[in-house]
Every structure is written in C-alpha cells, then in structure tokens.
Amino acid sequence: MRLAAPDLDNLDPEQKRVHDVIAGGPRGRVRGPLALWLRRPHLAEAAQNMGQYCRYGSSVAPRLSEIAILALVRLWNAELPWYAHKAEALKAGLEPDVIEAIRLGQEPQIADAAGRAVYRFTIEIYNERKVSDETYAAAIEAIGSDGVVDLVGIIGYYSLVAMTVNTFELPLPEGVSPDFSG
C-alpha cells in the first residue's frame, strides 16, 4: 500500500465528523477508499454522498447496478471493489456464470435485455469514452432516461473508487486471494 488511511485514533475534528457520518450511514463502517479519502475529509464526504446515492438511492435496480460495477472494476483490474461487489452481486440476484465471465474478461451471457444493455453501456463508455446511438437507445429502453443518468453516475463513482484502489495499491483483506491474473 502506497499511502495509509489516517489513524482512526488520531483524526482531526473534521476527519472525525466525516468518519462518524460515514460509519453512521448504511455502510456502517469506514474502509477501503473511503478510509483513505479521510486524509482529505471534504473529498471523503463528497465521495461518500455520491457513493451512498449510487449504492442505495439510484433508480437502477441493484442487480443491474452490480453488472455495471463488476464490469467496470474488472476493466480497471481493481481487486478490492471486485471482492466487495461480487458478494453484493450474488445477493442482488446476478447469476454466478455472469460474474465468472466478467471476471475472466469474457462477454457474459446475460439473459435479460436490461442486463445486456447495462453491460454494453458500461463496456462501451469505458473503452470508447462515449456511447453509440444504438447503445444509448438500448439503455434508454431498458432503464429509462433517469436510469441512464444514474448509470453514468455509478460508472463515474466506481471509476473513482477503482482509480483510488489502483493508485494507492489498497490491499485485499488479509487471507483473500486475488481473482484476476496478471
């Protein structure tokens, strides 16, 4: 790890305030990128607000959101959010074979049109830095315009998470093996 999170026993008043807001919310604790972001408490607070919305307030159904998150963090090769979200994806009803295909970097066989649209949108916006009219129209049809706005927010937030994990080399929990090779 290149940079450690601040020592939770020695937070300044602003760091402590933000820590307590995050820990008191639906996450129940502060870890991973959020813990590191506490070095800059205003960034941690802004990111926590966006992340909380993307995770708990978005109009995108949890299963679809997890498709986007897993596809995106796999593209970034970000092990820590992959580890956290593969369990969330299973809880949200994502099929294990879809998760495994994404892990292997293969096109998953997603049965429903909404899942396929979210996956393709995520892959295309990452690879091309834009989406085609066809991909956009499929996403609009599948999740509506509000859903597409939220999907872009989810992709943006988890890109920030992945960049933070990769830049600062945040480790997996002790005893957890990486899922990606190379």
Side-chain angles (χ1 to χ4, degrees), residues 106-169:
Q106 300 170 350
E107 175 110 13
Q109 299 303 307
I110 302 172
D112 61 296
R116 287 191 307 273
V118 165
Y119 177 80
R120 288 188 182 129
F121 189 100
T122 304
I123 297 299
E124 193 170 310
I125 200 166
Y126 176 88
N127 286 330
E128 305 299 326
R129 307 299 187 243
K130 61 183 177 178
V131 292
S132 67
D133 290 343
E134 179 183 345
T135 298
Y136 179 80
I140 291 290
E141 182 164 326
I143 60 175
S145 56
D146 289 350
V148 172
V149 171
D150 282 345
L151 179 59
V152 170
I154 291 164
I155 293 166
Y157 174 73
Y158 282 95
S159 291
L160 174 62
V161 167
M163 287 188 287
T164 300
V165 166
N166 288 353
T167 298
F168 299 107
E169 299 177 347

Side-chain angles (χ1 to χ4, degrees), residues 24-129:
R27 288 182 177 91
R29 59 188 167 177
V30 183
R31 62 186 177 145
L34 283 165
L36 185 110
W37 293 332
L38 278 176
R39 294 171 85 58
R40 306 297 301 150
H42 296 289
L43 172 61
E45 187 169 38
Q48 126 68 25
N49 286 333
M50 184 171 184
Q52 184 170 321
Y53 175 80
C54 288
R55 186 110 184 258
Y56 306 105
S58 166
S59 66
V60 179
R63 180 178 169 280
L64 299 176
S65 181
E66 293 300 332
I67 289 171
I69 293 165
L70 288 182
L72 190 279
V73 300
R74 180 58 178 109
L75 288 164
W76 280 101
N77 292 321
E79 290 275 4
L80 185 59
W82 174 268
Y83 166 76
H85 280 275
K86 72 179 177 182
E88 292 298 318
L90 287 168
K91 279 194 262 183
L94 191 57
E95 300 82 358
D97 61 312
V98 170
I99 295 170
E100 181 64 3
I102 294 170
R103 182 187 76 79
L104 294 172
Q106 300 170 350
E107 175 110 13
Q109 299 303 307
I110 302 172
D112 61 296
R116 287 191 307 273
V118 165
Y119 177 80
R120 288 188 182 129
F121 189 100
T122 304
I123 297 299
E124 193 170 310
I125 200 166
Y126 176 88
N127 286 330
E128 305 299 326
R129 307 299 187 243

Side-chain angles (χ1 to χ4, degrees), residues 16-30 34 48:
K16 176 77 172 122
R17 181 188 70 75
V18 173
H19 173 277
D20 292 349
V21 166
I22 297 168
R27 288 182 177 91
R29 59 188 167 177
V30 183
L34 283 165
Q48 126 68 25

